[in-house]
Amino acid sequence: MEHGRVLLDHGSGGEASQRLIRELFLSRFSGPSQPALDDAALLDEIRGPLAFSTDGYIIDPVECPGGDIGSLAVHGTVNDVAMLGAVPLYLSCAFILEEGLPLPLLTRLAQSMADAAAAAGVRIVTGDTKVAPRGAADKIFITSAGIGRVIAEPAPSGSRAAPGDAVLLSGCVGDHGLAITARRGGLSGLEGIRSDSAPLNRMVEALVRDVGDLHVLRDPTRGGLAATLNEIARQSGIVCRVRETDIPVRDTVAAGCAVLGLDPLYLANEGKLVCVLPRHKADTALSVMRLFPEGRDAACIGEIAAPGADGKAGQVVLRTRLGGYRLLGMPEGEQLPRIC
Amino acid sequence: MEHGRVLLDHGSGGEASQRLIRELFLSRFSGPSQPALDDAALLDEIRGPLAFSTDGYIIDPVECPGGDIGSLAVHGTVNDVAMLGAVPLYLSCAFILEEGLPLPLLTRLAQSMADAAAAAGVRIVTGDTKVAPRGAADKIFITSAGIGRVIAEPAPSGSRAAPGDAVLLSGCVGDHGLAITARRGGLSGLEGIRSDSAPLNRMVEALVRDVGDLHVLRDPTRGGLAATLNEIARQSGIVCRVRETDIPVRDTVAAGCAVLGLDPLYLANEGKLVCVLPRHKADTALSVMRLFPEGRDAACIGEIAAPGADGKAGQVVLRTRLGGYRLLGMPEGEQLPRIC
């Protein structure tokens, strides 16, 4: 099974499908007690409200420094569930495979998913595999969905940012977007830049338990930090004010972006979160974030203000490095297709 | 929004994405109380065990008599959840769109999903949209995941078929597979054959409440009835004995299959279920099934036997029209790619 290529037969629902699922996926994904061959997974009762999310992954290339489409499909959905102040518990994964995909690659990606799920403490409990004829899909697409138990009360939401809140960012931005750009273009000098793909659920759990009163949690993926801050400003009808000098960006990423004409505030991240909460909780929240390796560079990057002379409801105002102010707009078009 | 085509910008996470999601999807999918712009949906507590399932849909053509990829993505996942003896409640949907897909087509498919969800009584609560550059995906792929509340105790499973059980089938087989074949080949004389795509959750709910003791529920999709019966026989380690003359097949489907050299027992269905339960409950179960339009042709097609001289554990034995016996094997290869 670990040699050869994906055939149309692997998507037939017959003998070849069963073998692929059993040997390649179930052996890696299922726990000891999982009746994994039924149409749906049977899960124990979950007490309290639930978080439910899904994301499709079509990233190209499928493997890059710091991650691959498999780990990304786990981290991305784990993080989306966590952003509701929830503990992610279960994932589903649906594969769309292109006929001819090398089985050794699929095996690596499945192992990467299993490892990412184990590291995040979630279980992949149900899935599906379809095979598209050569040329009808590009290599592999993975769609995951996740279920979690909401532990924040009330749950954070993009609509709950309030004047007086602080805006925190858990680490450096731009790594994932630049790593993919560099890998895709074969750009020399940027090989060291790695995707930041990582699960954020343990950090969120600590923030909920040890800090509380989280108004907004959101991970700045596609569209980057700029899109996320604009979404929050619009959903809450407030002004988001951020300071360019306080937004952490790695030197290598800043340099790479300067060369390529990219803005790190618009580049995708896969292991960062924005947290908006009352100002008096900001320091405690930052120290909790910094307990985690992925939160080492956490910083307070700005605050939420009421609409007024300095900004309208829904706007993001950036204080630039030179001390001026400019609107940080919502990205209009696609900076980089197939980034996640 | 209802003219034009899908652009890469629609998958960027920025302004164009937001507009597409808001105008095309949210307006159709979200309920009055849904805070639909967060990364995950917040769901009320569900009492009791959960069913969780996912399926990817890559069917070609995307529209065919009796259904389309949108209604199929709703019915298929609703049915997979229901097969655990569960009431499906919530769906997620993730779109992978090819750049250039006509927006009027996407609008029709979104409306079809919304209609199918309303008819089945489930809510589409969270989603995702990615756009693949032209040629990297074929038109549209949809992956849905579903959550339901398990009401059968114990839940039915492919591993619970027992000697003495009856094998029931809720209606005619082969319609979906033949409708797609006919449409794809532009075969004349078969235009009247329609996909049987339909939600089965209300029938399952009635079976659980009014009959009970359902050992196995499964919908014979890819691989057809033959694959489903083989899965059950293997999972339960029993022999499944079925009678060809009792398996309902529409005359037009039987005739179409004869002309094309297809076996209706291996063709996909999207609105049928197999129910295995104690023999003394068979008649009641059949009358419950027949209360539903999609169960009008329900029939008892065979029984479960212990392994012995007439069959080994994991085998499906078919009594043919002529009175002989043959093994109904698991399909080995792909009869028809992109059937669902």
Side-chain angles (χ1 to χ4, degrees):
Chain A
M1 184 51 75
E2 307 197 358
H3 303 285
R5 290 175 179 274
V6 169
L7 309 173
L8 283 176
D9 286 352
H10 287 124
S12 65
E15 202 67 79
S17 294
Q18 296 267 321
R19 223 159 33 226
L20 181 80
I21 292 168
R22 214 168 38 232
E23 295 177 18
L24 211 145
F25 297 131
L26 285 189
S27 61
R28 291 178 172 82
F29 294 166
S30 52
S33 64
Q34 193 56 27
L37 284 164
D38 283 314
D39 287 331
L42 178 63
L43 309 178
D44 288 339
E45 176 163 356
I46 299 171
R47 293 278 174 181
L50 304 181
F52 183 32
S53 189
T54 190
D55 255 334
Y57 298 86
I58 63 168
I59 191 169
D60 177 41
V62 297
E63 297 179 295
C64 78
D68 57 51
I69 194 171
S71 54
L72 201 62
V74 170
H75 295 156
T77 294
V78 158
N79 292 347
D80 279 348
V81 168
M83 294 307 128
L84 216 59
V87 178
L89 299 170
Y90 302 108
L91 294 186
S92 66
C93 62
F95 296 91
I96 296 173
L97 309 176
E98 184 185 14
E99 179 191 11
L101 183 77
L103 284 170
L105 171 59
L106 183 59
T107 304
R108 283 201 302 281
L109 297 174
Q111 188 59 49
S112 169
M113 293 187 79
D115 294 344
V122 298
R123 284 173 54 205
I124 300 172
V125 292
T126 190
D128 181 52
T129 306
K130 294 291 189 312
V131 179
R134 209 178 288 268
D138 188 20
K139 297 187 279 288
I140 175 170
F141 302 148
I142 305 177
T143 297
S144 53
I147 300 178
R149 186 166 51 88
V150 177
I151 56 170
E153 171 51 37
S157 164
S159 60
R160 292 186 52 222
D165 283 355
V167 179
L168 313 183
L169 175 64
S170 67
C172 296
V173 291
D175 300 28
H176 177 77
L178 194 62
I180 299 300
T181 311
R183 173 67 191 260
R184 217 181 274 172
L187 302 174
S188 65
L190 296 178
E191 300 87 350
I193 295 171
R194 296 166 62 82
S195 167
D196 60 343
S197 181
L200 296 165
N201 52 320
R202 294 186 208 279
M203 184 191 289
V204 168
E205 202 172 329
L207 285 169
V208 172
R209 293 198 198 280
D210 301 339
V211 185
D213 214 3
L214 312 176
H215 288 175
V216 184
L217 287 176
R218 190 159 287 186
D219 57 336
T221 55
R222 268 184 302 178
L225 181 65
T228 292
L229 296 177
N230 272 279
E231 286 167 23
I232 296 169
R234 289 179 187 189
Q235 271 185 264
S236 296
I238 47 70
V239 182
C240 179
R241 302 164 56 92
V242 289
R243 299 172 296 270
E244 191 170 15
T245 45
D246 289 336
I247 298 172
V249 181
R250 261 174 243 295
D251 290 344
T252 49
V253 170
C257 283
V259 170
L260 296 170
L262 297 170
D263 183 340
L265 304 189
Y266 288 87
L267 287 180
N269 311 280
E270 292 293 342
K272 297 298 168 338
L273 64 82
V274 169
C275 173
V276 178
L277 83 180
R279 192 171 0 203
H280 71 274
K281 296 227 171 197
D283 287 341
T284 320
L286 287 173
S287 31
V288 167
M289 287 180 182
R290 289 177 186 141
L291 295 174
F292 296 84
E294 62 275 19
R296 210 173 39 215
D297 300 315
C300 178
I301 62 167
E303 62 273 323
I304 303 297
D310 295 341
K312 290 187 209 152
Q315 288 185 332
V316 180
V317 180
L318 182 76
R319 185 174 196 278
T320 66
R321 233 165 263 288
L322 300 173
Y325 292 88
R326 69 173 174 90
L327 289 183
L328 188 67
M330 179 68 107
E332 175 59 32
E334 180 59 283
Q335 202 173 23
L336 204 59
R338 299 185 69 185
I339 192 68
C340 61
Chain B
M1 183 50 79
E2 307 198 356
H3 303 284
R5 290 176 179 273
V6 169
L7 309 173
L8 283 175
D9 287 353
H10 287 125
S12 66
E15 204 66 79
S17 295
Q18 296 267 321
R19 221 158 33 227
L20 181 80
I21 292 168
R22 214 169 38 233
E23 295 176 19
L24 211 145
F25 297 131
L26 285 189
S27 61
R28 290 178 171 82
F29 295 165
S30 53
S33 65
Q34 193 57 25
L37 284 164
D38 283 314
D39 287 333
L42 179 62
L43 309 179
D44 288 339
E45 176 163 358
I46 299 172
R47 294 278 174 182
L50 304 181
F52 183 32
S53 189
T54 190
D55 256 334
Y57 299 86
I58 62 169
I59 190 168
D60 177 40
V62 297
E63 297 179 296
C64 79
D68 57 51
I69 194 170
S71 54
L72 201 63
V74 171
H75 296 156
T77 296
V78 159
N79 292 348
D80 278 349
V81 168
M83 295 306 127
L84 216 58
V87 177
L89 299 170
Y90 303 109
L91 293 185
S92 66
C93 63
F95 297 91
I96 295 173
L97 308 176
E98 184 184 14
E99 179 191 10
L101 182 78
L103 283 170
L105 172 58
L106 183 59
T107 304
R108 283 202 301 281
L109 296 174
Q111 188 58 49
S112 168
M113 292 186 79
D115 295 343
V122 299
R123 285 173 55 204
I124 300 173
V125 293
T126 189
D128 181 52
T129 307
K130 295 290 190 311
V131 179
R134 210 179 284 268
D138 187 21
K139 298 186 277 291
I140 175 170
F141 302 149
I142 305 178
T143 298
S144 54
I147 299 178
R149 185 166 52 88
V150 177
I151 56 169
E153 169 52 35
S157 164
S159 60
R160 291 187 52 222
D165 283 355
V167 180
L168 312 183
L169 175 64
S170 67
C172 296
V173 292
D175 300 27
H176 177 78
L178 194 63
I180 300 298
T181 310
R183 173 68 191 260
R184 216 181 275 172
L187 302 174
S188 64
L190 298 178
E191 300 86 351
I193 294 171
R194 297 167 60 82
S195 168
D196 60 343
S197 182
L200 295 165
N201 52 320
R202 295 186 209 277
M203 185 191 290
V204 168
E205 205 173 326
L207 286 170
V208 173
R209 293 200 198 278
D210 302 338
V211 185
D213 213 4
L214 312 176
H215 289 174
V216 184
L217 287 176
R218 188 158 290 186
D219 58 334
T221 55
R222 266 185 303 178
L225 181 65
T228 292
L229 296 178
N230 272 279
E231 285 166 25
I232 296 170
R234 289 178 188 188
Q235 271 186 265
S236 296
I238 47 71
V239 181
C240 180
R241 302 164 58 93
V242 290
R243 298 172 296 271
E244 192 170 16
T245 46
D246 289 337
I247 299 172
V249 181
R250 260 175 244 296
D251 290 344
T252 49
V253 171
C257 282
V259 170
L260 297 170
L262 296 171
D263 183 340
L265 305 189
Y266 287 86
L267 286 180
N269 311 281
E270 292 294 342
K272 296 299 169 334
L273 63 80
V274 169
C275 173
V276 177
L277 83 180
R279 190 168 5 200
H280 71 274
K281 297 226 171 199
D283 287 341
T284 320
L286 286 173
S287 33
V288 167
M289 287 180 181
R290 290 178 187 141
L291 294 176
F292 296 83
E294 62 274 18
R296 210 175 37 217
D297 301 314
C300 178
I301 61 167
E303 61 272 323
I304 303 297
D310 295 339
K312 290 187 210 153
Q315 288 185 333
V316 180
V317 179
L318 181 78
R319 183 172 196 278
T320 66
R321 235 166 261 289
L322 300 175
Y325 292 88
R326 68 172 175 90
L327 289 184
L328 187 68
M330 179 69 108
E332 174 59 33
E334 179 60 282
Q335 201 174 18
L336 204 60
R338 298 185 68 185
I339 192 68
C340 62

